[in-house]
Amino acid sequence: MGAATHPGQGQVYARAMVSSIDSDEYRIHGRIVYGIVSKLALQMDGFHEWLADEPDFSTGIVRLKYRIIQKDFGPINTWRVSLAGGVEFPSDDDYAIHAAALTTLILNRHGLNGQIDWKENATLSDELMLNAAHLYRIHPARYSIHTKGAWYTELEWLNTIYDNGDYEMDLAPGLLYEARRWAAEISLRLPIAGNYYDQPNHTLAVGIRYLF
């Protein structure tokens, strides 16, 4: 899920994630974010899926992301809110409009994220995504000038509601290591409720990101 974080002006943030869906479908997700100014970023996402019983599928999304709130309570603690909007260009030409609001709160060893994302498809059912996440820094207990990286547990609550009445609700526990300029993560996404016909039984994802 997204967060209300931005690279600094002129900085580039890149991320790559590979997912295995029910061990017979696979997805690669690449993301590049460029900091235009401190409050405004350009985000480009590309996806390619190798599907079990259907032709491969690709899509790309171009968004602008603008931070509207930043309240810093100390060197680490902060609350931020961003708005994002853009256009998705799938390989089947069924383009979509995205509009989102994101919030991030960091308090000591805890991090909280919230996301509302509306996707209006040209021909398919529209989608509303309501997501939340909690991160906890398990090591180190306190940062120092010698800290080179930190370990976090992750727990994401991911919901997609379709305008035809279908929905998906998943939980995704994971583990994150974050260094000063790069990070690596692994998570397992599991369904807990839903009636969507194509809802996976599990999705295993591994990813890496780097700040240039």
Side-chain angles (χ1 to χ4, degrees):
M1 60 167 291
T5 54
H6 295 230
Q9 182 175 354
Q11 289 187 313
V12 176
Y13 154 88
R15 177 185 183 184
M17 177 168 282
V18 178
S19 303
S20 171
I21 305 166
D22 289 341
S23 303
D24 62 358
E25 298 184 356
Y26 302 92
R27 174 190 298 160
I28 185 167
H29 172 202
R31 170 175 291 173
I32 296 177
V33 187
Y34 173 72
I36 300 173
V37 294
S38 61
K39 292 184 177 182
L40 180 66
L42 173 65
Q43 178 175 311
M44 296 173 288
D45 292 86
F47 300 83
H48 185 79
E49 297 184 0
W50 293 266
L51 304 175
D53 303 316
E54 301 176 36
D56 294 354
F57 176 78
S58 298
T59 188
I61 309 173
V62 179
R63 296 183 180 93
L64 285 173
K65 189 175 176 184
Y66 184 74
R67 185 171 62 239
I68 59 172
I69 296 175
Q70 179 174 344
K71 302 290 186 182
D72 296 327
F73 314 120
I76 298 175
N77 296 343
T78 186
W79 175 49
R80 302 183 183 191
V81 178
S82 293
L83 302 178
V87 182
E88 181 173 352
F89 303 94
S91 56
D92 59 7
D93 296 326
D94 189 19
Y95 73 92
I97 303 297
H98 284 258
L102 310 103
T103 183
T104 295
L105 176 66
I106 299 174
L107 290 175
N108 302 319
R109 298 172 72 174
H110 297 270
L112 296 171
N113 289 314
Q115 177 187 29
I116 300 173
D117 194 328
W118 173 255
K119 178 182 177 182
E120 184 172 347
N121 292 297
T123 59
L124 301 175
S125 297
D126 296 337
E127 304 173 26
L128 176 64
M129 285 158 276
L130 302 172
N131 301 325
H134 174 262
L135 290 85
Y136 180 72
R137 190 177 75 246
I138 53 179
H139 181 79
R142 294 180 180 273
Y143 286 113
S144 73
I145 59 173
H146 304 292
T147 301
K148 295 183 178 180
W151 288 94
Y152 296 84
T153 59
E154 301 177 311
L155 183 62
E156 293 180 292
W157 181 48
L158 307 168
N159 303 271
T160 303
I161 303 168
Y162 302 87
D163 67 357
N164 63 2
D166 292 342
Y167 73 100
E168 299 177 82
M169 181 185 296
D170 300 333
L171 282 180
L175 187 66
L176 166 69
Y177 178 78
E178 190 172 57
R180 294 179 180 179
R181 299 191 69 87
W182 65 273
E185 60 188 314
I186 184 170
S187 68
L188 180 63
R189 181 170 178 168
L190 301 168
I192 57 173
N195 62 354
Y196 185 62
Y197 78 99
D198 201 25
Q199 188 171 7
N201 293 315
H202 68 273
T203 300
L204 178 66
V206 293
I208 188 166
R209 44 196 164 102
Y210 193 85
L211 178 65
F212 293 92

